[in-house]
Structure formats: C-alpha cells, structure tokens
Amino acid sequence: MKLLLEVCKMLFYGYVKIFYLLFSFISLNLFGQTFYWDSPKAITSVNSQFPVVISDDSNNFLFFEEVASKSEIYLSVQIKDKSSFEWGSPKRFAGPFKYSGEVPDIYSVAISDSGIIAVAVLVSDTSVGIFVSDDGGQTFSFSELPHQVQPIVGPRIYSTSSNGFVLFAALGENESFKLMWAKSANGHRWSSLSIFEPTENFTNPFAPYLCKIPGGGDLVVFQAQHQYLHNGESRRSYQLYSTCSVDNLSSWSLPLMVTDEKSLLATSDGINTNYNNQRPILYSNDSKIFLSWERTFYASESSHIWFMELSKNGVASGGLEEITNSGSAHRPVFFEYNSNICLSWFDNRRGNDSIYMAIKNGFLWEENTLYAEKKSAFFVYPLINAENQLSFIWQQKVGRKNVSNLYSLMPDMIVNSPKISPKNFKDGKKNTSEKIFAKVVLPEDSSGIAGFSWLWTKNEFDEPPEEFMNLPTENTISCIAQDDGVYYLKVRATDYAGNWSDSVSVKYWRDLTPPKKPIINNFDFAEYGFAKSNSVFFEGKGDDSD
C-alpha cells in the first residue's frame, strides 16, 4: 500500500511539472510575448517632472524639469550609453525659469539625424529660447527668438526630413490664439516666428505634431476647433487635421480632417462632432505612418487613446482602434519593438494614474500593465538598449504633495539566491545519520519564483543544473549519505523570467568510524607494571592517522 502511495505521489508531481512547463510555453509563445520586470527604481532624488527621452545610435538622453523651489525651474539632462544599464549623473543646462502656481510644461526636445539636440524652452511669457548641443548633450549654446507682443505658449520642436528643425508655438490669449512656426537648418539660426499657413483659416489651432514621411517629406497633424450646428445651436469640438510638405517645408497641402465620420467604430456613440480629439502624436517607419490621440465624448470627462494608420498624404488608411475604453487615458507614446508597433500611456482606470503599454500583434492589441500602485505615475517613455531589451522611464509621485521623482522599470534579469535550513543536522558539523532533511527557503521576486534545482554531492565544486526540478511547494529535501565523508547540498532558484540564481550550499559531515586507540607516553612504571607512587603522571594523544 505504501509503495502504491509513493507511485501516485510521483505521478501527481510529474503531471504538475509537465503542466508548469506546458503553461510556460503557451504563455510565452501562443499568446504573444510575456514581459517580466524588476521592481521600479528611482533614478532622480530631486523634484523631477515632465520627462522626455530621445535617442541616437549610441545613447539615450533623459530630459526633465527640475523644480528647485515654488517659483523656479531648471532643465536637466541625464545620459545613458545604450550598452549600459546605469544613467549618468543629472546635469543642469538651462535655467532658472520663473513660474507661479502649478508647475508648467515649458519645453520640448528633438534630435536630428546627424545627432544635433535642440531644446525649445518658454523663457518668458512672450519669448521662446533654443538650447542646442552639437556634442551629444555635453554642452549647450543658447539663442532666443524675438519677443512677441502677445503671450506665447506650448513650444514644440521637431527634426525634419531635411535634417533641420521646425518650431511651433501658439500665440494669443484667453480663447483666441493662432499657430506660429519657425525653421532652422541647424538649430542655431532661426527664421522669425510667423503664422503656420495651413492653419490660417482655422479656429484655435494647437498641439501640432510633425513626423517624416517614408520616402521623403514631412507630415503635420494638429488639432483645431470645428464649428457645427446641433439642433439649431452652434457648437464647437476639437478635430484633427493633417497637412504635408514634400518640398523641404516650402509649401503645404490643403489640410484634411482626419477625425471625420470614418474615424469612429460601428460601436461608437453619436457622430464625430460629438467628440473632442486632442494631443495627436505621429510615428513613421520605413513604410507606414501611425497616428494616436486622446478622444473624449462630449458628455464625458474621460479621454480614451485611439489609433489609426495614415497614408503619405495624411489620409486615414485603416487600422482604426480604440486602445483604451475605461478611465481617463493620456499622453500616448509610440515605439517599435521586435518589428511590432507599440504604445505606452497612463490612465486612471484603477483610481490612481498607472502605466500601461500595448503591442499591435496582427489585428489585435495586447495590453500589459507596467505599474499600478498607490502612488500615481505619469508621462511614460520607452527605451531600447543595445541588447534589444525594453525598459521605461516615468514620473512618479513621492510622499510630499506635488513632488515627483523619475523612476526606471528594467527587465527582470536577476533572482536572489535561496536559503537552506538544515532540519536534523548542523551545517559543517559531524553527524552519524544516514538520511538528512533540509528545507529550502525561496526568495521574493518581482516575476515570481517558478522553482529550484538542487544537487547532493561530495565534490564542493559541482553546481546544480540550470534545469527545473522542484516546484516552490516541494521545498523539503531528503538525501542519503551512503558512507563516511563530507557531502554538500546545493540549491539554486529560478523565476518565471527564466533567471537562475547563484547556488547556496550547506555541508554535511557523516562520521561513523570510531577513533583509533590513543598512544600513551611517559608512564612511569614500577616492577610488575604497577605505578611507582600514588601520584601518576602520563601523556596521551590520538593517532595522527585518524
């Protein structure tokens, strides 16, 4: 009966392990890529807000606003080699800039194909300045555009298909403003700000985004208020429009509405004018152009992230998708990973703002939660290193009100070693037992511990295999010491990310051989083997060969 129970037990755990291996294969291959992350770690200690990440072939550049007081902001940059996991120390390169009230977003960053970095900054209520680095962010030169009579807001800078730069900014106040622009071939010398011609006849154009057209040219998508009648009542909603240039920004096409009736799904409520469409972003690769934006139904305050593909002429060409449908989602960012188009953003579907990403896999979008904890997080940016490993940077609130640090989310690449707790012996001490018992105490891990492997050996240099052997619940090990000698029990853990820990070991010394008889020296014998006196002195020692 006992033998039958042992056989059943072996079969049960065998099936459990087979199920574990099959499930791991399915989760990693059938349903798309599974990501395993380390715990987020702070990479700034100062009040850091509005991060922006740009990259060239060798480096990642992290820009952010360092809030030095309730009235001053500095701009800082940190640089990381793509082959490294460590960020350099933050370096202030601009400021201080005065502000009052809530901390404003005052800057924008772009990098040209030749590696020139340009940072547009709102240096005053009526002026924009440009900081330019020709040496990979080590030093910056400064130039300032002429002051405007009216207030200027929202400076946004982009690199163009001709390896230059273009700057956009909104000029005006209250609810009436116009979109201005300026051009530069190298970031140092700029044309004067003038009205962006394609938007001249639009109401309150704002938030333009420029990307390079595959094959040549530049495409801009902007938001502007569209006026319409509803039951005889005049109303306005923000719609998105596209315009393109194929002659080095000398002329632009007639703007086309992108968010027209065809930009809604069959399941969407109402018509296109029932929605406000804001903050567009664009991304292009060698063959396609992609658009994402925030869309809000007129009767709601919650914005959702939408996606579509555009033609080279800025016309919707398919792929329409509502990426989020709960909570209020903001600031989508495009990136491409393993040839898949991806988006990251933050939304408050769980109450606090949390960080998410989605991967376009064929016709489907696969969503992953990156961060969803008590402290709100915003403004997420992806990074891809030289080893094609994906990571993220975001802004996260800390204990004090209106204070944030920047956090980094890296792939889970390590797992801590387990501990071994002997049950019927002491580590390194002699014992006579043939059978020993020990308990494996597994570490905490952000990806979860999948199990461990172990080895019972007389060779202290042998290591447990990187091969799954025991589930976390199978944490008691029994071993047989068949003969005298020193044995080593070694254990290493593995997590669901596939990482293996360094091994740990305990030593068991089985000793069943009695000691050899001692050697007696200097015993003062009398005749017939008796001691010479009542006080006896002698020396004895163990056998040196024992």
Side-chain angles (χ1 to χ4, degrees):
M1 184 66 180
K2 183 176 180 182
L3 178 61
L4 179 61
L5 289 173
E6 287 296 320
V7 171
C8 291
K9 183 178 179 182
M10 289 172 63
L11 287 172
F12 170 76
Y13 282 117
Y15 285 134
V16 169
K17 290 176 182 177
I18 290 171
F19 174 79
Y20 160 80
L21 293 172
L22 285 174
F23 180 79
S24 298
F25 173 81
I26 290 171
S27 66
L28 290 173
N29 295 279
L30 184 59
F31 301 125
Q33 183 168 358
T34 300
F35 293 91
Y36 295 99
W37 305 105
D38 200 354
S39 299
K41 293 179 174 60
I43 58 173
T44 63
S45 57
V46 297
N47 188 358
S48 314
Q49 303 195 25
F50 301 109
V52 175
V53 174
I54 60 172
S55 302
D56 60 17
D57 291 338
S58 303
N59 298 300
N60 300 125
F61 303 89
L62 170 60
F63 291 83
F64 61 93
E65 294 183 11
E66 180 183 333
V67 184
S69 68
K70 293 183 178 180
S71 61
E72 288 186 339
I73 293 171
Y74 289 86
L75 292 184
S76 295
V77 62
Q78 288 182 246
I79 304 173
K80 182 179 74 67
D81 190 297
K82 283 187 174 181
S83 62
S84 169
F85 295 107
E86 298 297 325
W87 286 94
S89 300
K91 177 180 63 177
R92 291 178 177 178
F93 68 91
F97 304 105
K98 299 294 183 180
Y99 79 97
S100 61
E102 294 291 324
V103 178
D105 183 0
I106 64 170
Y107 79 105
S108 174
V109 185
I111 186 168
S112 69
D113 292 338
S114 57
I116 299 173
I117 299 172
V119 185
V121 186
L122 193 64
V123 296
S124 73
D125 291 342
T126 58
S127 180
V128 175
I130 311 293
F131 291 86
V132 178
S133 175
D134 298 304
D135 56 7
Q138 300 302 314
T139 61
F140 288 84
S141 62
F142 176 71
S143 60
E144 186 173 359
L145 276 66
H147 283 245
Q148 304 297 308
V149 175
Q150 293 179 295
I152 191 167
V153 295
R156 289 294 176 260
I157 195 168
Y158 301 98
S159 62
T160 67
S161 61
S162 58
N163 205 30
F165 294 95
V166 61
L167 168 71
F168 295 100
L171 188 66
E173 54 188 334
N174 299 326
E175 296 183 1
S176 178
F177 48 88
K178 52 191 174 182
L179 189 61
M180 312 294 286
W181 77 318
K183 297 181 288 184
S184 174
N186 55 17
H188 293 279
R189 293 179 297 276
W190 288 84
S191 64
S192 298
L193 278 171
S194 60
I195 192 165
F196 184 50
E197 296 93 339
T199 67
E200 192 168 10
N201 297 319
F202 284 80
T203 303
N204 295 333
F206 195 65
Y209 201 104
L210 180 145
C211 81
K212 301 164 189 175
I213 298 173
D218 301 271
L219 175 69
V220 170
V221 172
F222 61 92
Q223 69 184 59
Q225 288 183 327
H226 171 71
Q227 191 165 353
Y228 65 99
L229 289 177
H230 178 75
N231 295 332
E233 179 185 353
S234 178
R235 290 186 177 181
R236 289 181 179 180
S237 63
Y238 271 109
Q239 303 298 324
L240 302 185
Y241 300 86
S242 67
T243 179
C244 59
S245 173
V246 292
D247 55 5
N248 195 20
L249 311 183
S250 296
S251 63
W252 293 88
S253 65
L254 186 68
L256 302 172
M257 182 185 289
V258 177
T259 50
D260 57 13
E261 294 85 353
K262 296 179 182 178
S263 71
L264 294 177
L265 299 171
T267 55
S268 301
D269 293 329
I271 58 177
N272 68 308
T273 51
N274 293 147
Y275 293 84
N276 281 308
N277 303 272
Q278 296 177 283
R279 285 177 281 279
I281 66 162
L282 294 168
Y283 177 81
S284 63
N285 55 25
D286 293 337
S287 59
K288 292 184 177 181
I289 302 172
F290 307 96
L291 166 69
S292 185
W293 73 99
E294 300 173 21
R295 172 174 264 173
T296 309
F297 190 57
Y298 81 98
S300 171
E301 294 182 357
S302 296
S303 59
H304 295 174
I305 304 298
W306 283 68
F307 166 91
M308 72 165 61
E309 296 181 18
L310 298 179
S311 71
K312 295 180 180 181
N313 297 322
V315 178
S317 60
L320 182 67
E321 190 75 32
E322 186 177 13
I323 304 298
T324 69
N325 54 27
S326 63
S328 191
H330 301 282
R331 296 293 185 101
V333 175
F334 274 115
F335 61 102
E336 196 163 351
Y337 186 65
N338 288 341
S339 301
N340 294 107
I341 296 299
C342 310
L343 281 167
S344 60
W345 70 90
F346 67 92
D347 70 44
N348 63 0
R349 72 183 74 170
R350 288 181 166 92
N352 290 331
D353 283 304
S354 302
I355 305 296
Y356 302 89
M357 67 169 285
I359 301 174
K360 191 177 189 301
N361 192 352
F363 295 104
L364 300 177
W365 285 85
E366 300 170 358
E367 185 180 291
N368 290 265
T369 301
L370 301 178
Y371 171 86
E373 303 293 338
K374 291 182 178 179
K375 295 179 180 179
S376 294
F378 332 86
F379 310 121
V380 57
Y381 278 86
L383 301 91
I384 299 174
N385 68 8
E387 303 298 323
N388 195 40
Q389 292 173 313
L390 179 63
S391 62
F392 293 88
I393 297 287
W394 63 68
Q395 174 185 328
Q396 183 175 316
K397 282 188 175 180
V398 293
R400 291 169 292 166
K401 185 179 180 182
N402 298 326
V403 175
S404 297
N405 292 153
L406 301 187
Y407 277 73
S408 172
L409 183 69
M410 299 292 295
D412 184 6
M413 295 180 290
I414 61 170
V415 57
N416 292 326
S417 297
K419 296 179 180 179
I420 303 175
S421 177
K423 292 302 180 184
N424 64 337
F425 67 98
K426 291 184 178 180
D427 185 14
K429 301 295 184 180
K430 292 181 179 180
N431 201 302
T432 60
S433 297
E434 179 185 30
K435 192 172 186 178
I436 65 100
F437 296 90
K439 183 178 180 180
V440 178
V441 181
L442 294 169
E444 295 291 329
D445 189 83
S446 60
S447 299
I449 296 296
F452 62 93
S453 66
W454 59 277
L455 181 68
W456 178 245
T457 181
K458 280 191 168 183
N459 185 346
E460 65 176 311
F461 300 107
D462 286 346
E463 289 293 326
E466 291 188 1
E467 178 181 305
F468 181 84
M469 294 172 63
N470 284 50
L471 293 165
T473 53
E474 301 175 276
N475 60 349
T476 298
I477 297 175
S478 63
C479 301
I480 300 295
Q482 294 181 339
D483 48 31
D484 279 16
V486 175
Y487 293 80
Y488 299 90
L489 175 60
K490 296 190 172 186
V491 179
R492 68 196 314 171
T494 182
D495 61 14
Y496 283 105
N499 302 305
W500 284 91
S501 73
D502 292 334
S503 67
V504 292
S505 67
V506 293
K507 183 166 68 174
Y508 178 71
W509 191 343
R510 191 181 188 201
D511 186 4
L512 293 175
T513 304
K516 295 181 179 180
K517 64 181 181 180
I519 299 172
I520 308 281
N521 297 321
N522 299 327
F523 195 101
D524 195 8
F525 290 99
E527 190 177 2
Y528 306 116
F530 291 100
K532 287 185 176 182
S533 67
N534 291 333
S535 298
V536 179
F537 174 81
F538 64 90
E539 293 178 347
K541 67 175 184 176
D543 193 316
D544 290 339
S545 64
D546 190 357

